[in-house]
Amino acid sequence: MTGDVGSAAGAQRAGESEGARRAREALESSGIEHRILVATERANSLAEAARQRGIEPRDIVKSLVVRRGSGDYVFVLVPGDREISWPKLRGHLGVSRLSMPPADKAKEATGYERGTITPFGSTTAWPVIADATVPGRTISMGAGAHGTSVTLAADDLVQALGAEVVDVTDPAPTPD
């Protein structure tokens, strides 16, 4: 179940976390048409989160923060049914080594704890790479707090964030 928060500008909403407020304000400032939803029940899987939002798992886009070097990060936007292809991402960035930072470093780099990370409202505007399968559809992604998501046109997201659109993922293995 989700509650529709809408997209109207306004003061911090009752019970809204600092992260959710930053993400909402960044989305509002971007001018992107969007809808913020707050889940009333915790999703325990991608499939469950998609069911709650009334969408397919592939339409949930994960915002992953990837470490390129000391104090240097990039956001990678990955559809729910795909995973980062490390060789493709390394090749695109022209580096021989990338890593997922520990949770404390990811929070330090973005201002968001793992599971809530979004480029919108990040404390640092790291470069954004959207996988080539992201554009051309409506997507849902995290919005700064557990259980809070935003639905928006992927093409608007790419434009607002100045994201590079590159093939950096492979299909995720299907569970047996």
Side-chain angles (χ1 to χ4, degrees), residues 32-56:
I32 294 174
E33 185 177 322
H34 65 280
R35 181 158 309 280
I36 294 176
L37 299 172
V38 178
T40 57
E41 298 172 11
R42 185 172 179 93
N44 293 313
S45 68
L46 176 68
E48 195 173 313
R51 229 179 351 270
Q52 287 177 350
R53 299 175 197 182
I55 60 175
E56 293 297 317

PDB file of all heavy atoms in Angstrom, residues 32-56:
ATOM      1  N   ILE A  32      10.456  19.059 -12.993  1.00  0.00           N
ATOM      2  CA  ILE A  32       9.996  17.781 -13.548  1.00  0.00           C
ATOM      3  C   ILE A  32       8.618  17.439 -12.988  1.00  0.00           C
ATOM      4  O   ILE A  32       8.385  17.551 -11.786  1.00  0.00           O
ATOM      5  CB  ILE A  32      10.959  16.636 -13.169  1.00  0.00           C
ATOM      6  CG1 ILE A  32      12.311  16.814 -13.818  1.00  0.00           C
ATOM      7  CG2 ILE A  32      10.376  15.284 -13.554  1.00  0.00           C
ATOM      8  CD1 ILE A  32      13.325  15.777 -13.348  1.00  0.00           C
ATOM      9  N   GLU A  33       7.742  16.993 -13.871  1.00  0.00           N
ATOM     10  CA  GLU A  33       6.460  16.470 -13.398  1.00  0.00           C
ATOM     11  C   GLU A  33       6.737  15.153 -12.701  1.00  0.00           C
ATOM     12  O   GLU A  33       7.414  14.273 -13.258  1.00  0.00           O
ATOM     13  CB  GLU A  33       5.518  16.261 -14.581  1.00  0.00           C
ATOM     14  CG  GLU A  33       4.128  15.838 -14.158  1.00  0.00           C
ATOM     15  CD  GLU A  33       3.190  15.714 -15.354  1.00  0.00           C
ATOM     16  OE1 GLU A  33       3.280  16.536 -16.282  1.00  0.00           O
ATOM     17  OE2 GLU A  33       2.371  14.779 -15.332  1.00  0.00           O
ATOM     18  N   HIS A  34       6.257  15.011 -11.480  1.00  0.00           N
ATOM     19  CA  HIS A  34       6.536  13.802 -10.702  1.00  0.00           C
ATOM     20  C   HIS A  34       5.435  13.569  -9.678  1.00  0.00           C
ATOM     21  O   HIS A  34       4.627  14.459  -9.406  1.00  0.00           O
ATOM     22  CB  HIS A  34       7.886  13.928  -9.985  1.00  0.00           C
ATOM     23  CG  HIS A  34       7.911  15.011  -8.951  1.00  0.00           C
ATOM     24  ND1 HIS A  34       8.087  16.337  -9.268  1.00  0.00           N
ATOM     25  CD2 HIS A  34       7.758  14.965  -7.605  1.00  0.00           C
ATOM     26  CE1 HIS A  34       8.043  17.068  -8.161  1.00  0.00           C
ATOM     27  NE2 HIS A  34       7.847  16.256  -7.143  1.00  0.00           N
ATOM     28  N   ARG A  35       5.458  12.368  -9.123  1.00  0.00           N
ATOM     29  CA  ARG A  35       4.517  12.019  -8.060  1.00  0.00           C
ATOM     30  C   ARG A  35       5.291  11.257  -7.001  1.00  0.00           C
ATOM     31  O   ARG A  35       5.950  10.269  -7.298  1.00  0.00           O
ATOM     32  CB  ARG A  35       3.386  11.161  -8.602  1.00  0.00           C
ATOM     33  CG  ARG A  35       2.357  10.780  -7.530  1.00  0.00           C
ATOM     34  CD  ARG A  35       1.018  10.412  -8.101  1.00  0.00           C
ATOM     35  NE  ARG A  35       0.459  11.360  -9.034  1.00  0.00           N
ATOM     36  CZ  ARG A  35      -0.188  12.499  -8.700  1.00  0.00           C
ATOM     37  NH1 ARG A  35      -0.333  12.810  -7.439  1.00  0.00           N
ATOM     38  NH2 ARG A  35      -0.676  13.278  -9.612  1.00  0.00           N
ATOM     39  N   ILE A  36       5.228  11.743  -5.768  1.00  0.00           N
ATOM     40  CA  ILE A  36       5.906  11.081  -4.655  1.00  0.00           C
ATOM     41  C   ILE A  36       4.914  10.179  -3.938  1.00  0.00           C
ATOM     42  O   ILE A  36       3.785  10.586  -3.668  1.00  0.00           O
ATOM     43  CB  ILE A  36       6.515  12.120  -3.688  1.00  0.00           C
ATOM     44  CG1 ILE A  36       7.628  12.882  -4.405  1.00  0.00           C
ATOM     45  CG2 ILE A  36       7.036  11.435  -2.417  1.00  0.00           C
ATOM     46  CD1 ILE A  36       8.252  13.997  -3.602  1.00  0.00           C
ATOM     47  N   LEU A  37       5.345   8.957  -3.668  1.00  0.00           N
ATOM     48  CA  LEU A  37       4.529   7.984  -2.947  1.00  0.00           C
ATOM     49  C   LEU A  37       5.256   7.551  -1.687  1.00  0.00           C
ATOM     50  O   LEU A  37       6.473   7.384  -1.688  1.00  0.00           O
ATOM     51  CB  LEU A  37       4.267   6.748  -3.810  1.00  0.00           C
ATOM     52  CG  LEU A  37       3.522   6.971  -5.123  1.00  0.00           C
ATOM     53  CD1 LEU A  37       3.505   5.696  -5.949  1.00  0.00           C
ATOM     54  CD2 LEU A  37       2.121   7.458  -4.859  1.00  0.00           C
ATOM     55  N   VAL A  38       4.495   7.375  -0.620  1.00  0.00           N
ATOM     56  CA  VAL A  38       5.050   6.873   0.635  1.00  0.00           C
ATOM     57  C   VAL A  38       4.349   5.558   0.955  1.00  0.00           C
ATOM     58  O   VAL A  38       3.124   5.518   1.094  1.00  0.00           O
ATOM     59  CB  VAL A  38       4.856   7.888   1.787  1.00  0.00           C
ATOM     60  CG1 VAL A  38       5.403   7.323   3.088  1.00  0.00           C
ATOM     61  CG2 VAL A  38       5.525   9.219   1.453  1.00  0.00           C
ATOM     62  N   ALA A  39       5.127   4.495   1.049  1.00  0.00           N
ATOM     63  CA  ALA A  39       4.572   3.169   1.335  1.00  0.00           C
ATOM     64  C   ALA A  39       4.108   3.110   2.784  1.00  0.00           C
ATOM     65  O   ALA A  39       4.764   3.641   3.675  1.00  0.00           O
ATOM     66  CB  ALA A  39       5.610   2.093   1.074  1.00  0.00           C
ATOM     67  N   THR A  40       2.989   2.465   2.991  1.00  0.00           N
ATOM     68  CA  THR A  40       2.485   2.272   4.348  1.00  0.00           C
ATOM     69  C   THR A  40       2.936   0.935   4.919  1.00  0.00           C
ATOM     70  O   THR A  40       2.787   0.687   6.106  1.00  0.00           O
ATOM     71  CB  THR A  40       0.943   2.371   4.385  1.00  0.00           C
ATOM     72  OG1 THR A  40       0.406   1.411   3.473  1.00  0.00           O
ATOM     73  CG2 THR A  40       0.485   3.773   4.002  1.00  0.00           C
ATOM     74  N   GLU A  41       3.474   0.076   4.040  1.00  0.00           N
ATOM     75  CA  GLU A  41       4.009  -1.219   4.459  1.00  0.00           C
ATOM     76  C   GLU A  41       5.400  -1.369   3.859  1.00  0.00           C
ATOM     77  O   GLU A  41       5.621  -0.973   2.718  1.00  0.00           O
ATOM     78  CB  GLU A  41       3.123  -2.362   3.954  1.00  0.00           C
ATOM     79  CG  GLU A  41       1.709  -2.334   4.500  1.00  0.00           C
ATOM     80  CD  GLU A  41       0.821  -3.368   3.819  1.00  0.00           C
ATOM     81  OE1 GLU A  41       1.337  -4.236   3.084  1.00  0.00           O
ATOM     82  OE2 GLU A  41      -0.398  -3.297   4.021  1.00  0.00           O
ATOM     83  N   ARG A  42       6.323  -1.948   4.601  1.00  0.00           N
ATOM     84  CA  ARG A  42       7.691  -2.148   4.106  1.00  0.00           C
ATOM     85  C   ARG A  42       7.723  -3.269   3.069  1.00  0.00           C
ATOM     86  O   ARG A  42       7.173  -4.343   3.283  1.00  0.00           O
ATOM     87  CB  ARG A  42       8.614  -2.485   5.275  1.00  0.00           C
ATOM     88  CG  ARG A  42      10.068  -2.596   4.859  1.00  0.00           C
ATOM     89  CD  ARG A  42      10.969  -2.744   6.073  1.00  0.00           C
ATOM     90  NE  ARG A  42      12.338  -2.873   5.671  1.00  0.00           N
ATOM     91  CZ  ARG A  42      13.191  -1.855   5.554  1.00  0.00           C
ATOM     92  NH1 ARG A  42      12.778  -0.642   5.847  1.00  0.00           N
ATOM     93  NH2 ARG A  42      14.430  -2.051   5.181  1.00  0.00           N
ATOM     94  N   ALA A  43       8.365  -2.993   1.949  1.00  0.00           N
ATOM     95  CA  ALA A  43       8.554  -4.016   0.912  1.00  0.00           C
ATOM     96  C   ALA A  43       9.807  -4.816   1.248  1.00  0.00           C
ATOM     97  O   ALA A  43      10.834  -4.246   1.592  1.00  0.00           O
ATOM     98  CB  ALA A  43       8.688  -3.363  -0.448  1.00  0.00           C
ATOM     99  N   ASN A  44       9.715  -6.126   1.147  1.00  0.00           N
ATOM    100  CA  ASN A  44      10.849  -6.988   1.466  1.00  0.00           C
ATOM    101  C   ASN A  44      11.577  -7.504   0.234  1.00  0.00           C
ATOM    102  O   ASN A  44      12.518  -8.290   0.360  1.00  0.00           O
ATOM    103  CB  ASN A  44      10.386  -8.160   2.336  1.00  0.00           C
ATOM    104  CG  ASN A  44       9.927  -7.681   3.694  1.00  0.00           C
ATOM    105  OD1 ASN A  44      10.604  -6.892   4.332  1.00  0.00           O
ATOM    106  ND2 ASN A  44       8.760  -8.124   4.120  1.00  0.00           N
ATOM    107  N   SER A  45      11.122  -7.080  -0.956  1.00  0.00           N
ATOM    108  CA  SER A  45      11.771  -7.509  -2.192  1.00  0.00           C
ATOM    109  C   SER A  45      11.435  -6.510  -3.291  1.00  0.00           C
ATOM    110  O   SER A  45      10.507  -5.708  -3.169  1.00  0.00           O
ATOM    111  CB  SER A  45      11.278  -8.906  -2.604  1.00  0.00           C
ATOM    112  OG  SER A  45       9.914  -8.841  -2.984  1.00  0.00           O
ATOM    113  N   LEU A  46      12.184  -6.606  -4.377  1.00  0.00           N
ATOM    114  CA  LEU A  46      11.909  -5.762  -5.543  1.00  0.00           C
ATOM    115  C   LEU A  46      10.512  -6.047  -6.071  1.00  0.00           C
ATOM    116  O   LEU A  46       9.753  -5.121  -6.380  1.00  0.00           O
ATOM    117  CB  LEU A  46      12.962  -6.023  -6.628  1.00  0.00           C
ATOM    118  CG  LEU A  46      12.749  -5.286  -7.943  1.00  0.00           C
ATOM    119  CD1 LEU A  46      12.949  -3.787  -7.765  1.00  0.00           C
ATOM    120  CD2 LEU A  46      13.700  -5.831  -9.002  1.00  0.00           C
ATOM    121  N   ALA A  47      10.147  -7.316  -6.160  1.00  0.00           N
ATOM    122  CA  ALA A  47       8.829  -7.688  -6.672  1.00  0.00           C
ATOM    123  C   ALA A  47       7.716  -7.109  -5.798  1.00  0.00           C
ATOM    124  O   ALA A  47       6.707  -6.612  -6.307  1.00  0.00           O
ATOM    125  CB  ALA A  47       8.700  -9.209  -6.758  1.00  0.00           C
ATOM    126  N   GLU A  48       7.916  -7.149  -4.496  1.00  0.00           N
ATOM    127  CA  GLU A  48       6.917  -6.600  -3.573  1.00  0.00           C
ATOM    128  C   GLU A  48       6.817  -5.080  -3.720  1.00  0.00           C
ATOM    129  O   GLU A  48       5.720  -4.518  -3.732  1.00  0.00           O
ATOM    130  CB  GLU A  48       7.287  -6.979  -2.141  1.00  0.00           C
ATOM    131  CG  GLU A  48       6.162  -6.777  -1.152  1.00  0.00           C
ATOM    132  CD  GLU A  48       6.526  -7.326   0.221  1.00  0.00           C
ATOM    133  OE1 GLU A  48       7.025  -8.464   0.298  1.00  0.00           O
ATOM    134  OE2 GLU A  48       6.315  -6.582   1.196  1.00  0.00           O
ATOM    135  N   ALA A  49       7.951  -4.407  -3.854  1.00  0.00           N
ATOM    136  CA  ALA A  49       7.941  -2.956  -4.046  1.00  0.00           C
ATOM    137  C   ALA A  49       7.224  -2.600  -5.351  1.00  0.00           C
ATOM    138  O   ALA A  49       6.438  -1.650  -5.398  1.00  0.00           O
ATOM    139  CB  ALA A  49       9.360  -2.410  -4.056  1.00  0.00           C
ATOM    140  N   ALA A  50       7.473  -3.359  -6.395  1.00  0.00           N
ATOM    141  CA  ALA A  50       6.807  -3.107  -7.677  1.00  0.00           C
ATOM    142  C   ALA A  50       5.305  -3.316  -7.547  1.00  0.00           C
ATOM    143  O   ALA A  50       4.508  -2.511  -8.056  1.00  0.00           O
ATOM    144  CB  ALA A  50       7.389  -4.019  -8.750  1.00  0.00           C
ATOM    145  N   ARG A  51       4.911  -4.372  -6.854  1.00  0.00           N
ATOM    146  CA  ARG A  51       3.485  -4.641  -6.636  1.00  0.00           C
ATOM    147  C   ARG A  51       2.834  -3.478  -5.891  1.00  0.00           C
ATOM    148  O   ARG A  51       1.751  -3.031  -6.243  1.00  0.00           O
ATOM    149  CB  ARG A  51       3.328  -5.944  -5.845  1.00  0.00           C
ATOM    150  CG  ARG A  51       2.331  -6.902  -6.423  1.00  0.00           C
ATOM    151  CD  ARG A  51       2.153  -8.220  -5.680  1.00  0.00           C
ATOM    152  NE  ARG A  51       3.052  -8.569  -4.602  1.00  0.00           N
ATOM    153  CZ  ARG A  51       4.199  -9.249  -4.757  1.00  0.00           C
ATOM    154  NH1 ARG A  51       4.585  -9.632  -5.948  1.00  0.00           N
ATOM    155  NH2 ARG A  51       4.942  -9.543  -3.723  1.00  0.00           N
ATOM    156  N   GLN A  52       3.499  -2.977  -4.854  1.00  0.00           N
ATOM    157  CA  GLN A  52       2.955  -1.854  -4.083  1.00  0.00           C
ATOM    158  C   GLN A  52       2.757  -0.618  -4.956  1.00  0.00           C
ATOM    159  O   GLN A  52       1.817   0.140  -4.761  1.00  0.00           O
ATOM    160  CB  GLN A  52       3.883  -1.488  -2.927  1.00  0.00           C
ATOM    161  CG  GLN A  52       3.878  -2.451  -1.790  1.00  0.00           C
ATOM    162  CD  GLN A  52       4.876  -2.050  -0.705  1.00  0.00           C
ATOM    163  OE1 GLN A  52       5.699  -1.164  -0.879  1.00  0.00           O
ATOM    164  NE2 GLN A  52       4.793  -2.728   0.428  1.00  0.00           N
ATOM    165  N   ARG A  53       3.650  -0.419  -5.911  1.00  0.00           N
ATOM    166  CA  ARG A  53       3.603   0.772  -6.768  1.00  0.00           C
ATOM    167  C   ARG A  53       2.773   0.558  -8.027  1.00  0.00           C
ATOM    168  O   ARG A  53       2.564   1.486  -8.805  1.00  0.00           O
ATOM    169  CB  ARG A  53       5.018   1.185  -7.161  1.00  0.00           C
ATOM    170  CG  ARG A  53       5.880   1.539  -5.968  1.00  0.00           C
ATOM    171  CD  ARG A  53       7.303   1.829  -6.375  1.00  0.00           C
ATOM    172  NE  ARG A  53       8.192   1.768  -5.216  1.00  0.00           N
ATOM    173  CZ  ARG A  53       9.489   2.007  -5.263  1.00  0.00           C
ATOM    174  NH1 ARG A  53      10.060   2.337  -6.407  1.00  0.00           N
ATOM    175  NH2 ARG A  53      10.221   1.923  -4.181  1.00  0.00           N
ATOM    176  N   GLY A  54       2.332  -0.686  -8.260  1.00  0.00           N
ATOM    177  CA  GLY A  54       1.523  -0.995  -9.437  1.00  0.00           C
ATOM    178  C   GLY A  54       2.309  -0.951 -10.735  1.00  0.00           C
ATOM    179  O   GLY A  54       1.771  -0.578 -11.783  1.00  0.00           O
ATOM    180  N   ILE A  55       3.586  -1.351 -10.671  1.00  0.00           N
ATOM    181  CA  ILE A  55       4.452  -1.332 -11.846  1.00  0.00           C
ATOM    182  C   ILE A  55       5.223  -2.637 -11.953  1.00  0.00           C
ATOM    183  O   ILE A  55       5.154  -3.475 -11.051  1.00  0.00           O
ATOM    184  CB  ILE A  55       5.450  -0.143 -11.792  1.00  0.00           C
ATOM    185  CG1 ILE A  55       6.349  -0.237 -10.549  1.00  0.00           C
ATOM    186  CG2 ILE A  55       4.714   1.189 -11.833  1.00  0.00           C
ATOM    187  CD1 ILE A  55       7.428   0.812 -10.478  1.00  0.00           C
ATOM    188  N   GLU A  56       5.972  -2.786 -13.026  1.00  0.00           N
ATOM    189  CA  GLU A  56       6.828  -3.954 -13.216  1.00  0.00           C
ATOM    190  C   GLU A  56       8.165  -3.722 -12.511  1.00  0.00           C
ATOM    191  O   GLU A  56       8.635  -2.581 -12.447  1.00  0.00           O
ATOM    192  CB  GLU A  56       7.076  -4.194 -14.706  1.00  0.00           C
ATOM    193  CG  GLU A  56       5.830  -4.602 -15.467  1.00  0.00           C
ATOM    194  CD  GLU A  56       5.272  -5.928 -14.989  1.00  0.00           C
ATOM    195  OE1 GLU A  56       6.063  -6.867 -14.760  1.00  0.00           O
ATOM    196  OE2 GLU A  56       4.042  -6.016 -14.844  1.00  0.00           O
TER     197      GLU A  56
END
